Each structure stands twice: as C-alpha cells, then as structure tokens.
C-alpha cells in the first residue's frame, strides 16, 4: 500500500497472516498511526472473545501501538458503557474480529458505541478494519450465511442487515477459498444496485478516499461483481430454489496492488515497480 | 426447446435426468429423428464402457429409436473399424458418455471414425451430444482436470487439446455443483479469445445454427465467461501458483430457455409463454 491514511477502511477476507509479514495487520497499524496508534479491538462476533481479543492485543502490542484495549461487548448494554465510549473518542483504529456476523450486528447495531464509531470513521478520524465476520457487516445488506455447490438461487444465501459502514457494497469473505461465487451472485440478484465484493483469505480490500476506490492487499484476489448494467434477471419471477438468470454482469478479478474506482466502475491495474 | 434440429450439438453438464422426464436426452432423441433415429453411443470416456453403453442403449431403445449401437472404442485401432465406420454413415445421432475426457480424446482424436463424425456433424447431418467428459472435449482447448477452493491461478487447472468440435469454446461441466468458477476463470486467463461455458448438472447448452447461438435446457444454469473486452490480466507475468487478475470480463448466468448469441456476444432472455 502506497499511502497509509487514517480514513481508510480495511475489509479483510479472513485468515489474514498473523505470524509472518502480517502485511494486512501492519497496514492497519500504520493507518492507525503506527507507534502513536490507539487501538480498540471488538471481539464481539466471537463466542471466545477473551481468547481472540487477546490474540489481536498481543499482535498490535508487539507492533508497538501506543495503547490498545479490547472493547468486550457481550451484551447490548455494554454498547452504552461510558468507559468504552470515552476510549473510542481517543481511538485512531478500531478492529473487528471474526466469528458470527449476526452475533456482531445483534450486539452492536444502533448502540451509542457503534454510532460513535460510525461517525468518527465517516469523518476520517479513525481507521476501521474488519476481518471475516467483521468484514461481512460492512454493507447495508449483509450475507449472514449460505451454501455452495448449487446453481445460483435465492435459497442459497441468507441475507440480513449489516452495520452499513459502506452501504453500497455486499461483502463476502473466504471467497474463492470457500467457493462462494454462486452465493454472492445470488445475493446480488436481489440487490443489483449494490456492488458485490468477494474477498479471499489473507486478502484485503482497502477502501480509500471516502470509499471512492478500493485497493487490493494480500495474497489472494478481490472479486467484483457489478450488476449496474444487468439487462435481465428472473429473480422476481421464480421460486427461492429455482436457478437464477443474470444477464450482462461485469466481473473483475483484482490482484495485489490493483485498484477499482467505485464511482466510475473501472478497474485499474497495479503499477509494476 | 422449440425446434429440434438435426444440426444441433447438445453439450450436457453431466448427471442428466435418466429416469423422470429425461428432458435433455429426449431432446437429443428428437433432434436425431425420434422414432427414425439411428444412434451411435460412444462410451470410450468410461472405464466401464459396457455398463454405461448399455444404460444409454436402454434409454434410447425405450424412447423408440429405430436403431442403436454402442461404438465400443477401447483402443485406437477400433477407430479404424470398418463396421463402426459404416454405421456412422447411417447415424442421425452420436452420444458421447461421461468418464475421463483425456481417455476419450486419447482413444478418438484423429481416428478415421472421429474425423467422419466431425465432418457429418459439421454438415448438419448428425446430432452430436456429449455429457460430462463428453461435453468437456467439445472445444479446441479442453479442461482436463483441476481443483477448487483457491483464488484463480494457472496451477488450478490442467489444460489439454479437445476434439475441436466447437473450437471457439472452453467447456466446464458439473459447474456450480462442483464450484468450478475459479478453474474456468483460470482456463480463460490463458485463452481469452475463447468463450468460457460452465454447464451445471442436468443442464444442457444446445448449440444451434452452426454454433451461432446457444439455448439452455434443463434444471440448472449455463454460465458464460466472456473475456472479449478484457482490459488487463497478469497471466503472462506471474508464476503458475500466483493469483490471477482479470479485468473487465462479462458474465452471464443463463437459465432455462435463455439463449446466447455467440456472434454478437449478447444474451437473450427466455420468452415466458
């Protein structure tokens, strides 16, 4: 990544490197200020929040962050915790771990804590990152679960409301690793005005400049399914189990360093240095 | 299917219904002439050619075909068999079963038998069908094997030469059922001038009018990956295991009755009757 910006949002496809170069987590730490970073870790997607919170705590501590705290929201009432709210005012980075995206949204959506995080992210004051479940919640519409190994069909995917941090996208994670193309297509068939973004493991779609463009980091690919010019779908006319038809989608497989301009729907190839 | 034409080529994604309505096999039988049909079954992809040959023999016999014979090519010398060659002169339909596409090509490619079949298919005198391995061999380039669960990369797919019946396509079968999008994308990255066609199980891409357009039959979808307007790939610049970037692909998921015009690269939605 060429520039580390506080206003970046890092949407990570899960299973990011935590041991070797830690490229993605390092990039988050840099965006959040490096040795000046004040980081809040939200482990609420996980049923083992202590263990997972500690794991990321140790990683960011070893990188040399200035201050780190696990915001251990296990009940919606914790989303009103004054201590957490005061800490979030100081934060330069917020990291949401993996787990279950429905659990994460259920605990955090519309709490004062999450609303303040959303505001500060929107103002570009805090770098937000989410991995796996923490990535899934970024859109207005969220893929809550689903299956693979079938023709695209509406029953293949369970949709729910996300946290709406980047409302215009529908994110899927562990993407090619878990063969999720059919489920992302199924999700997009119901919401063709959203941009489908499938992120592979140890791969990150970095949203820059108030979400004007995406840059790809990491070892895999970011898949863009763009239904803006879709000329036909049978989505409204068939049963939930029936195969879906979707005509005239644009598909981009983006590799490391590639970018995608969300405003004009154009990919930009990485500059080889 | 509205019209049964002798010149049609039926490319079937495997696991086609052999028990209930048998829509796809019935369509083949109709194209080949119905009760006037003279059908040759090529079971050579299979290591159990007797069993699989007999299975299709019984199906087409029960439909009331006029004559049926299993062309049991188990050695390339059988591709010079005079009896088989004489039968092929009379045939109105040729059906290639599933199995191993490398085995099928190894036994049949460039034999006098296959060359005569190819000529008669090209002249529109014989309806050709192939399922699974029998579908994979249709293109000039053939997917011989591969894997799933990874970012697209060249090592994900094994390419070989097909029979070149429809040279302009690369066919993959059991498509969404076996999560083969990444491997088809990997194949297309090396041959972007070909049209990628992924056919689901119990689904058929019928090539009509000297392969000017495709019509979809059956229970699943036909996926078209069109790289004609691809603006960028890193395919030539990276190692075989490295993730592939592919920018500006067109993607169509076609359902039952949908068509696709190969000449102008446009999908045509099914007319609901």
């Amino acid at each position: 990544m060429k520039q580390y910006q506080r206003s970046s949002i890092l949407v990570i496809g899960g299973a990011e490197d935590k041991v070797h170069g830690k490229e993605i987590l390092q990039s988050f730490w840099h965006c959040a200020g490096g040795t000046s970073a004040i980081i809040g870790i939200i482990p609420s997607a996980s049923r083992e929040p202590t263990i997972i919170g500690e794991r990321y705590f140790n990683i960011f501590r070893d990188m040399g962050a200035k201050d780190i705290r696990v915001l251990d929201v296990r009940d919606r009432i914790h989303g009103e915790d004054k201590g957490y709210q005061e800490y979030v005012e100081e934060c330069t980075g917020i990291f949401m771990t993996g787990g279950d995206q429905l659990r994460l949204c259920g605990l955090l959506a519309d709490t004062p804590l999450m609303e303040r995080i959303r505001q500060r992210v929107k103002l570009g004051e805090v770098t937000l990152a989410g991995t796996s479940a923490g990535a899934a919640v970024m859109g207005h519409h969220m893929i809550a679960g689903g299956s693979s190994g079938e023709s695209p069909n509406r029953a293949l995917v369970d949709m729910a409301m996300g946290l709406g941090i980047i409302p215009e996208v529908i994110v899927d994670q562990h993407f090619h690793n878990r063969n999720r193309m059919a489920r992302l297509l199924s999700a997009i068939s119901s919401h063709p005005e959203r941009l489908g973004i499938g992120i592979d493991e140890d791969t990150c779609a970095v949203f820059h400049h108030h979400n004007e463009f995406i840059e790809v980091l990491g070892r895999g690919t970011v898949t863009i399914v763009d239904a803006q010019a879709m000329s036909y779908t049978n989505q409204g006319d068939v049963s939930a189990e029936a195969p879906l038809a979707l005509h005239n989608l644009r598909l981009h497989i983006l590799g490391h360093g590639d970018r995608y301009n969300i405003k004009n729907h154009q990919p930009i190839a990485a500059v080889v240095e």
Side-chain angles (χ1 to χ4, degrees), chain A:
Chain A
M1 196 151 75
K2 292 176 191 66
Q3 289 180 310
Y4 298 111
Q5 289 165 327
R6 186 65 45 87
S7 60
S8 298
I9 301 176
L10 285 79
V11 188
I12 309 167
E16 72 283 354
D17 171 20
K18 299 176 188 70
V19 178
H20 301 289
K22 306 186 194 73
E23 180 190 16
I24 295 167
L25 297 178
Q26 283 267 3
S27 296
F28 166 71
W29 173 77
H30 275 298
C31 287
T35 53
S36 309
I38 299 172
I39 294 175
I41 296 165
I42 298 178
S44 310
S46 175
R47 293 202 168 272
E48 307 249 33
T50 307
I51 294 169
I52 200 162
E54 195 170 289
R55 185 153 195 208
Y56 284 100
F57 185 99
N58 291 339
I59 289 169
F60 297 130
R61 183 199 59 205
D62 292 350
M63 288 180 185
K66 184 178 171 192
D67 197 7
I68 314 164
R69 192 162 167 191
V70 178
L71 308 174
D72 192 357
V73 175
R74 300 185 186 203
D75 185 293
R76 283 186 65 86
I77 199 78
H78 300 154
E80 296 172 24
D81 184 284
K82 292 293 169 207
Y84 288 169
Q85 289 185 65
E86 283 164 21
Y87 188 74
V88 157
E89 292 302 322
E90 307 301 318
C91 275
T92 60
I94 296 281
F95 192 95
M96 297 188 291
T97 75
D100 175 349
Q101 51 264 46
L102 281 174
R103 181 179 164 84
L104 182 57
C105 287
L107 288 171
L108 276 169
D110 303 323
T111 59
L113 188 70
M114 193 66 225
E115 283 312 297
R116 186 57 187 145
I117 292 170
R118 179 206 305 280
Q119 281 168 7
R120 295 204 63 215
V121 168
K122 196 162 188 177
L123 292 167
E125 298 170 352
V126 175
T127 301
L128 179 67
T131 187
S132 193
V137 299
M138 293 292 183
H140 173 76
H141 297 290
M142 174 175 87
I143 295 177
S147 186
S148 68
E150 294 175 23
S151 312
N153 69 86
R154 283 187 284 129
L156 194 66
V157 64
D158 303 318
M159 300 301 297
M161 299 294 286
L163 295 179
I165 306 287
I166 312 169
E168 57 266 47
V169 301
I170 295 178
V171 172
D172 209 348
Q173 356 78 37
H174 304 278
F175 188 67
H176 284 297
N177 315 81
R178 297 189 188 171
N179 297 307
R180 287 179 164 171
M181 182 71 91
R183 98 174 189 179
L184 181 59
L185 290 169
S186 303
I188 288 297
S189 78
S190 300
H191 305 289
E193 77 288 358
R194 312 286 167 167
L195 193 67
I197 300 190
I199 309 173
D200 293 347
E201 293 179 357
D202 196 14
T203 306
C204 179
V206 186
F207 286 73
H208 287 297
H209 293 301
H210 303 287
N211 308 332
E212 271 186 28
F213 71 92
I214 295 169
E215 182 181 354
V216 179
L217 282 187
R219 284 196 314 123
T221 60
V222 170
T223 298
I224 306 281
V225 175
D226 174 7
Q228 188 189 37
M230 183 167 71
S231 57
Y232 170 75
T233 178
N234 61 355
Q235 188 273 338
D237 303 322
V238 297
S239 70
E241 291 78 17
L244 288 165
L246 301 156
H247 296 187
N248 279 303
L249 305 178
R250 283 171 74 198
L251 175 68
H252 312 285
I253 313 291
L254 307 178
H256 192 283
D258 287 352
R259 290 183 297 160
Y260 182 79
N261 184 321
I262 294 178
K263 300 292 169 197
N264 72 10
H265 294 249
Q266 290 296 335
I268 305 150
V271 179
V272 179
E273 288 162 53

